[in-house]
Amino acid sequence: MSDILRMERLEGLYAEALKAAENSYAPYSNFRVGAAVLLTDGRVVTGTNVENVSYGLTVCAERSAIARAVIENGPKIRVAAVAVANLNGATCPPCGMCRQVLKEFMDADGDVLFPFEGVMKRARLDEILPFAFDADLKKTVTK
Ligand code: THU
């Protein structure tokens, strides 16, 4: 895919993320976030943040999109790109926990799109998550 086509696709993905943010459940922070993941087969799956009165139980938009993508498409999904948006016009890169969860399903050169200081930032996953945890747990032994 040409880079121009790819950028158009990513802008569309951002629009989907923004639409998803409309369904956000964020009565505690009022920070309404949406995420859209583009699967390698072209399908788009969205998610939103779902907060809880026990604050730590909150699920971010990116992780709800990933969970939904697996629920709807099965365990073999691969994510080519993810866009994050919010209704507050704020800078909003994925949080650390979401970066690690995205890594499970994305290659290192996958696109991550997010609002940053008033502009749309496009980064590779490995730029925002260097030295990711990726141990081969089947090969580790207890000593
Ligand atoms: N949030 C997300 O949905 N994604 C992120 O990557 C960062 C934070 C949500 C969690 C919480 O509902 C609100 O934003 C404020 O932290």
Side-chain angles (χ1 to χ4, degrees), residues 29 31 33 49 51 58 60-62 93-95 98:
S29 72
F31 195 63
V33 187
N49 55 332
E51 296 189 345
T58 291
C60 291
E62 299 90 322
C95 78
C98 287

Side-chain angles (χ1 to χ4, degrees), residues 1 12 21 23:
M1 196 188 286
N23 280 343

Side-chain angles (χ1 to χ4, degrees), residues 24-35 48-52 55 58-64 84-85 92-99:
S24 158
Y25 177 73
Y28 305 105
S29 72
N30 288 314
F31 195 63
R32 298 168 73 198
V33 187
T48 188
N49 55 332
V50 181
E51 296 189 345
N52 192 273
Y55 291 177
T58 291
V59 182
C60 291
E62 299 90 322
R63 280 178 290 131
S64 68
V84 187
C92 185
C95 78
M97 199 188 279
C98 287
R99 292 176 197 201

Side-chain angles (χ1 to χ4, degrees), residues 35 37 39 58-71 75 77-82 84 94-108 111-112 125 128-129 131-134:
V37 295
L39 304 185
T58 291
V59 182
C60 291
E62 299 90 322
R63 280 178 290 131
S64 68
I66 288 287
R68 186 177 179 195
V70 173
I71 290 161
I77 58 152
R78 295 300 295 167
V79 171
V82 57
V84 187
C95 78
M97 199 188 279
C98 287
R99 292 176 197 201
Q100 184 71 39
V101 171
L102 288 167
K103 202 233 166 307
E104 192 78 16
F105 297 96
M106 280 179 98
D107 291 343
D111 286 307
V112 185
L125 181 64
I128 63 163
L129 187 66
F131 302 104
F133 177 69
D134 196 17

